[in-house]
Amino acid sequence: MDTATGSDVTIIGARLIGLQGRDTGAAWGDDVHEQESRQTLLVLETGDGLVGYGAAYTSLGLAAAAMELLAPWFIGTSVDEPERRTEQLHQRAYWQGRGGALTTVISAVNIALWDLWGKVCGQPIGVLMGGRYRDRVRPYASLPFGTAEHTWDVVTAAREKGYLDVKLGWQPFGWESVATDERLVRVARDAVGDGRLMIDAGGSAAFWPHRHAWARRTAQLLADHDVYWFEEPLDPDDLDGYRTLRMHSPVRIATGEVLTRRQSYRRLIADRCLDVVQPDTTKVGGLSEARRIGWASHDAGLEYVPHGWNNVVGLAADLQLASALPHCRQIEYVDSGDYMTELLDGTMSLEPDGMLAIPAGSGLGITLDTDALARFPQTTLGRPDRTDA
Ligand SMILES: [Mg+2]
């Protein structure tokens, strides 16, 4: 056994579960069908009956193909040392599609390894990552724009549920006219009242039409309505554009949800291209990668708010991460999608003051509903009878 620390809990199999056919809570664009088949859960199984949960923001087919490469490198190993074992996967897969679906699937493996190691140690992941700075975090309701009337209704409903803060984003904002943008922001501002309002332009949408001039003018519009941050105002790859915009913007600039690997954030952070760093734990490389970006952002004086439009395993990972970073005080929360509500054995809900408790149980601190998982298509790899070279 490849271990230096002594646990004899060994991974014997991996099960991928394709989340499809449900309502994600997203209502933007014409590619909703595509959107709803982009998420895959991972269940790592051990010889002791313990299971570890992970999540990857990619389809079941891509996840299965990536896992054919990755699984032989960790099946049969101990669950010790989640970070070193994950780095081994990054290094061994270096020449085969790093930064794409491979990195996304390594995210799921890393989260599941942390979950298992937490269960073996009897500790929440936040403790194993160095300690918990908080037991609760401030979630914001993340909602798609629509008509002005729709915007008013969804924001009002979120506030009535107890959310303190709200983010609105994507079409039609940025796609119709300055007048439409101004109206949507004004309605949102009125509906949010004294809570924080964030606006997400959705610059990672296909063929996002705007560049610096629009972003700078819109940043001023948002400042006039006391918006807390302006998210993805530009194509995520336009680092020069972000650097310039951030120097001149009267509101905080946020981005990062589509980037993968810690190396992709290095220049973004070093060149002060943003104010709020938003990696997605289920894409970027998992909790280990997100934690490193988190500390780099802390040292640079930036805010860290994980991107959270995925599923309940991603949310649980974000909560553990938020507990282990001193400056991660907010998380994105989509409580309406089926992948948040259907999969969990139990419930997770806002506390009366609008805060969200960070689970204190072992690992991620959640249990999934096995009957619910069984309703989705699955792929199984690396059973004990496998004979890998
Ligand atoms: Mg976004």
Coordinates of all heavy atoms in Angstrom, one line a residue, residues 318-372:
D318 N -17.9 24.1 -0.5 CA -17.7 25.6 -0.3 C -17.8 25.9 1.2 O -17.1 26.8 1.6 CB -18.7 26.3 -1.1 CG -18.5 26.3 -2.6 OD1 -17.3 25.9 -3.0 OD2 -19.4 26.6 -3.4
L319 N -18.7 25.3 1.8 CA -18.9 25.6 3.3 C -17.7 25.2 4.1 O -17.2 26.0 4.9 CB -20.2 24.9 3.8 CG -21.5 25.5 3.3 CD1 -22.6 24.5 3.7 CD2 -21.7 26.9 3.9
Q320 N -17.1 24.1 3.8 CA -15.9 23.7 4.5 C -14.7 24.6 4.2 O -14.0 25.0 5.1 CB -15.5 22.2 4.2 CG -16.5 21.2 4.7 CD -16.6 21.2 6.2 OE1 -15.6 21.4 6.9 NE2 -17.8 21.0 6.7
L321 N -14.6 25.0 2.9 CA -13.6 26.0 2.5 C -13.8 27.3 3.2 O -12.8 27.9 3.7 CB -13.6 26.1 1.0 CG -12.5 27.0 0.4 CD1 -11.2 26.3 0.5 CD2 -12.8 27.3 -1.0
A322 N -15.0 27.8 3.3 CA -15.3 29.1 3.9 C -14.9 29.0 5.4 O -14.5 30.0 6.0 CB -16.8 29.4 3.8
S323 N -15.1 27.8 6.0 CA -14.7 27.7 7.4 C -13.2 27.8 7.6 O -12.7 28.3 8.7 CB -15.2 26.4 8.0 OG -14.4 25.3 7.6
A324 N -12.4 27.5 6.6 CA -11.0 27.3 6.7 C -10.2 28.5 6.2 O -9.0 28.5 6.2 CB -10.5 26.1 6.0
L325 N -10.9 29.6 5.7 CA -10.3 30.8 5.1 C -10.7 32.0 5.9 O -11.9 32.2 6.0 CB -10.6 31.0 3.7 CG -10.0 30.0 2.7 CD1 -10.6 30.2 1.3 CD2 -8.5 30.1 2.6
P326 N -9.8 32.8 6.5 CA -10.3 33.8 7.4 C -11.1 34.9 6.7 O -11.9 35.6 7.3 CB -8.9 34.4 7.9 CG -7.9 33.9 7.0 CD -8.4 32.6 6.5
H327 N -10.9 35.0 5.4 CA -11.6 36.2 4.7 C -12.7 35.7 3.8 O -13.3 36.5 3.0 CB -10.6 36.9 3.8 CG -9.9 36.1 2.7 ND1 -9.5 34.8 2.9 CD2 -9.7 36.4 1.4 CE1 -9.0 34.3 1.8 NE2 -9.1 35.2 0.9
C328 N -13.2 34.4 3.9 CA -14.3 33.9 3.1 C -15.6 34.0 3.9 O -15.9 33.1 4.6 CB -14.0 32.5 2.6 SG -15.3 31.9 1.5
R329 N -16.2 35.2 3.8 CA -17.4 35.4 4.7 C -18.7 35.3 4.0 O -19.8 35.3 4.6 CB -17.3 36.9 5.2 CG -16.0 37.1 6.0 CD -16.0 38.5 6.6 NE -14.8 38.7 7.5 CZ -13.6 39.0 7.0 NH1 -13.4 39.3 5.7 NH2 -12.6 39.1 7.9
Q330 N -18.7 35.1 2.6 CA -19.9 35.0 1.8 C -19.8 33.8 0.9 O -18.7 33.4 0.5 CB -20.1 36.2 0.9 CG -20.7 37.4 1.6 CD -21.1 38.4 0.6 OE1 -20.2 39.1 0.0 NE2 -22.4 38.6 0.3
I331 N -20.9 33.1 0.6 CA -20.9 32.1 -0.4 C -22.1 32.3 -1.3 O -23.1 32.8 -0.9 CB -20.8 30.6 0.1 CG1 -22.1 30.3 0.9 CG2 -19.6 30.4 0.9 CD1 -22.2 28.8 1.0
E332 N -22.0 31.8 -2.6 CA -23.1 31.8 -3.5 C -24.0 30.7 -3.1 O -23.5 29.6 -2.9 CB -22.6 31.7 -4.9 CG -23.7 31.8 -6.0 CD -23.2 31.9 -7.4 OE1 -22.0 31.5 -7.6 OE2 -23.9 32.4 -8.2
Y333 N -25.3 30.9 -3.2 CA -26.2 29.8 -2.8 C -27.4 29.8 -3.7 O -28.1 30.9 -3.8 CB -26.7 30.1 -1.3 CG -27.5 28.9 -0.7 CD1 -27.3 27.6 -1.1 CD2 -28.3 29.2 0.4 CE1 -28.1 26.6 -0.5 CE2 -29.1 28.2 1.0 CZ -28.9 26.9 0.6 OH -29.6 25.9 1.2
V334 N -27.7 28.7 -4.3 CA -28.9 28.5 -5.2 C -29.7 27.4 -4.5 O -29.4 26.3 -4.6 CB -28.5 28.1 -6.6 CG1 -29.7 28.0 -7.5 CG2 -27.4 29.0 -7.2
D335 N -30.7 27.8 -3.8 CA -31.4 26.8 -3.0 C -32.6 26.2 -3.7 O -33.2 25.3 -3.3 CB -31.9 27.4 -1.7 CG -33.0 28.5 -1.8 OD1 -33.3 28.8 -3.0 OD2 -33.5 28.9 -0.8
S336 N -32.9 26.7 -5.0 CA -34.1 26.3 -5.6 C -33.9 25.1 -6.6 O -34.8 24.4 -7.0 CB -34.7 27.5 -6.4 OG -33.8 28.0 -7.3
G337 N -32.7 24.9 -7.1 CA -32.4 23.9 -8.1 C -32.6 22.5 -7.4 O -32.4 22.3 -6.3
D338 N -33.0 21.5 -8.3 CA -33.3 20.2 -7.8 C -32.0 19.5 -7.3 O -32.0 18.7 -6.4 CB -33.8 19.3 -8.9 CG -35.3 19.7 -9.2 OD1 -35.9 20.3 -8.4 OD2 -35.7 19.4 -10.3
Y339 N -30.8 19.9 -7.8 CA -29.6 19.3 -7.4 C -29.1 19.8 -6.0 O -28.2 19.4 -5.4 CB -28.5 19.5 -8.4 CG -28.9 19.0 -9.8 CD1 -28.6 19.7 -10.9 CD2 -29.6 17.8 -9.9 CE1 -29.0 19.2 -12.2 CE2 -30.0 17.3 -11.1 CZ -29.7 18.0 -12.2 OH -30.1 17.5 -13.5
M340 N -29.8 20.8 -5.5 CA -29.6 21.3 -4.1 C -30.6 20.6 -3.2 O -30.3 20.4 -2.0 CB -29.8 22.8 -4.0 CG -28.7 23.6 -4.6 SD -27.2 23.4 -3.6 CE -26.0 24.3 -4.6
T341 N -31.8 20.3 -3.7 CA -32.9 19.9 -2.8 C -33.1 18.4 -2.8 O -33.6 17.8 -1.8 CB -34.2 20.6 -3.1 OG1 -34.5 20.3 -4.5 CG2 -34.0 22.1 -2.9
E342 N -32.9 17.7 -3.9 CA -33.3 16.3 -4.1 C -32.3 15.3 -3.6 O -32.6 14.2 -3.3 CB -33.6 16.1 -5.6 CG -34.1 14.7 -5.9 CD -34.4 14.5 -7.4 OE1 -34.4 15.4 -8.1 OE2 -34.5 13.3 -7.8
L343 N -31.0 15.7 -3.6 CA -30.0 14.7 -3.3 C -29.6 14.5 -1.9 O -29.0 13.5 -1.5 CB -28.7 15.1 -4.1 CG -28.9 15.4 -5.6 CD1 -27.6 16.0 -6.2 CD2 -29.3 14.1 -6.3
L344 N -29.9 15.4 -1.1 CA -29.5 15.4 0.3 C -30.4 14.6 1.2 O -31.6 14.6 1.1 CB -29.4 16.9 0.9 CG -28.7 17.1 2.1 CD1 -27.2 16.8 2.0 CD2 -28.9 18.6 2.5
D345 N -29.8 13.8 2.1 CA -30.5 13.0 3.1 C -30.6 14.0 4.3 O -29.6 14.2 5.0 CB -29.7 11.8 3.5 CG -30.5 10.9 4.5 OD1 -31.6 11.4 4.9 OD2 -30.0 9.9 4.8
G346 N -31.7 14.7 4.4 CA -31.8 15.8 5.4 C -32.1 17.1 4.6 O -32.3 17.1 3.4
T347 N -32.0 18.2 5.3 CA -32.2 19.5 4.7 C -31.1 20.5 5.2 O -30.4 20.2 6.2 CB -33.5 20.1 5.2 OG1 -33.6 20.1 6.6 CG2 -34.7 19.3 4.6
M348 N -31.0 21.5 4.4 CA -30.0 22.6 4.7 C -30.8 23.9 4.5 O -31.4 24.0 3.4 CB -28.8 22.5 3.8 CG -27.6 23.2 4.3 SD -26.2 23.0 3.1 CE -25.7 21.4 3.5
S349 N -30.9 24.7 5.5 CA -31.7 25.9 5.3 C -31.1 27.1 6.1 O -30.3 26.9 7.0 CB -33.1 25.7 5.7 OG -33.2 25.2 7.0
L350 N -31.6 28.3 5.7 CA -31.1 29.5 6.3 C -31.5 29.5 7.8 O -32.6 29.0 8.1 CB -31.7 30.7 5.6 CG -31.3 31.0 4.2 CD1 -32.0 32.3 3.8 CD2 -29.8 31.1 4.0
E351 N -30.7 30.1 8.6 CA -31.1 30.4 10.0 C -31.9 31.6 10.0 O -31.9 32.4 9.1 CB -29.8 30.4 10.8 CG -29.0 29.1 10.8 CD -27.9 29.0 11.8 OE1 -27.5 30.0 12.4 OE2 -27.6 27.8 12.1
P352 N -32.6 31.9 11.1 CA -33.5 33.0 11.2 C -32.9 34.4 10.8 O -33.5 35.3 10.3 CB -34.0 33.0 12.6 CG -33.9 31.6 13.0 CD -32.7 31.0 12.3
D353 N -31.6 34.5 11.1 CA -30.9 35.8 10.8 C -30.3 35.8 9.4 O -29.5 36.7 9.1 CB -29.9 36.1 11.9 CG -28.8 35.1 11.9 OD1 -28.8 34.1 11.2 OD2 -27.8 35.3 12.7
G354 N -30.6 34.8 8.6 CA -30.1 34.8 7.2 C -28.7 34.2 7.0 O -28.2 34.2 5.9
M355 N -28.2 33.6 8.0 CA -26.9 32.9 7.9 C -27.1 31.5 7.6 O -28.1 30.9 7.8 CB -26.0 33.1 9.2 CG -25.8 34.6 9.6 SD -24.6 35.4 8.4 CE -23.0 34.8 9.1
L356 N -26.0 30.8 7.1 CA -26.0 29.4 6.8 C -25.0 28.7 7.7 O -23.8 29.1 7.7 CB -25.7 29.2 5.3 CG -26.0 27.8 4.7 CD1 -27.5 27.4 4.9 CD2 -25.6 27.8 3.3
A357 N -25.4 27.6 8.4 CA -24.5 26.9 9.3 C -23.6 26.1 8.5 O -23.9 25.5 7.4 CB -25.3 26.1 10.3
I358 N -22.3 26.0 8.9 CA -21.3 25.1 8.2 C -21.3 23.8 9.0 O -21.1 23.7 10.2 CB -19.9 25.7 8.3 CG1 -19.9 27.1 7.5 CG2 -18.9 24.8 7.8 CD1 -18.7 27.9 7.7
P359 N -21.6 22.7 8.3 CA -21.7 21.4 9.0 C -20.5 21.1 9.8 O -19.4 21.3 9.4 CB -21.9 20.4 7.8 CG -22.5 21.2 6.7 CD -21.9 22.5 6.8
A360 N -20.7 20.5 11.0 CA -19.6 20.2 11.9 C -19.3 18.7 11.9 O -18.4 18.3 12.7 CB -20.0 20.7 13.3
G361 N -20.0 17.9 11.2 CA -19.8 16.5 11.1 C -18.5 16.2 10.4 O -17.8 17.0 9.8
S362 N -18.2 14.9 10.3 CA -16.9 14.5 9.7 C -16.9 14.7 8.2 O -18.0 14.6 7.6 CB -16.7 13.0 10.0 OG -16.7 12.7 11.3
G363 N -15.8 15.0 7.6 CA -15.6 15.2 6.2 C -16.4 16.4 5.7 O -16.3 17.5 6.3
L364 N -17.2 16.2 4.7 CA -18.1 17.3 4.2 C -19.2 17.6 5.2 O -19.9 18.6 5.1 CB -18.7 17.0 2.8 CG -17.7 16.9 1.7 CD1 -18.4 16.3 0.4 CD2 -17.2 18.4 1.3
G365 N -19.6 16.6 6.0 CA -20.6 16.8 7.0 C -22.0 16.6 6.4 O -23.0 17.0 7.0
I366 N -22.1 15.9 5.2 CA -23.4 15.7 4.7 C -23.6 14.2 4.3 O -22.6 13.5 4.1 CB -23.7 16.5 3.4 CG1 -22.7 16.2 2.3 CG2 -23.8 18.0 3.7 CD1 -23.1 16.7 0.9
T367 N -24.8 13.7 4.2 CA -25.1 12.4 3.7 C -26.0 12.5 2.5 O -27.0 13.3 2.6 CB -25.7 11.5 4.8 OG1 -24.8 11.5 5.9 CG2 -26.0 10.1 4.3
L368 N -25.8 11.8 1.4 CA -26.6 11.9 0.3 C -27.7 10.8 0.4 O -27.5 9.7 1.0 CB -25.8 11.8 -1.0 CG -24.8 12.9 -1.3 CD1 -24.2 12.7 -2.6 CD2 -25.5 14.3 -1.1
D369 N -28.8 11.0 -0.3 CA -29.9 10.1 -0.3 C -29.7 9.0 -1.4 O -29.7 9.3 -2.6 CB -31.2 10.9 -0.6 CG -32.4 10.0 -0.6 OD1 -32.3 8.8 -0.9 OD2 -33.5 10.5 -0.3
T370 N -29.4 7.8 -1.0 CA -29.0 6.7 -2.0 C -30.2 6.5 -2.9 O -29.9 6.2 -4.1 CB -28.6 5.4 -1.3 OG1 -29.6 5.1 -0.3 CG2 -27.3 5.6 -0.5
D371 N -31.4 6.6 -2.5 CA -32.5 6.3 -3.4 C -32.6 7.4 -4.5 O -32.8 7.2 -5.7 CB -33.9 6.3 -2.7 CG -34.0 5.1 -1.8 OD1 -33.3 4.1 -2.1 OD2 -34.7 5.1 -0.8
A372 N -32.3 8.7 -4.1 CA -32.3 9.8 -5.0 C -31.1 9.6 -6.0 O -31.3 9.8 -7.2 CB -32.1 11.1 -4.3

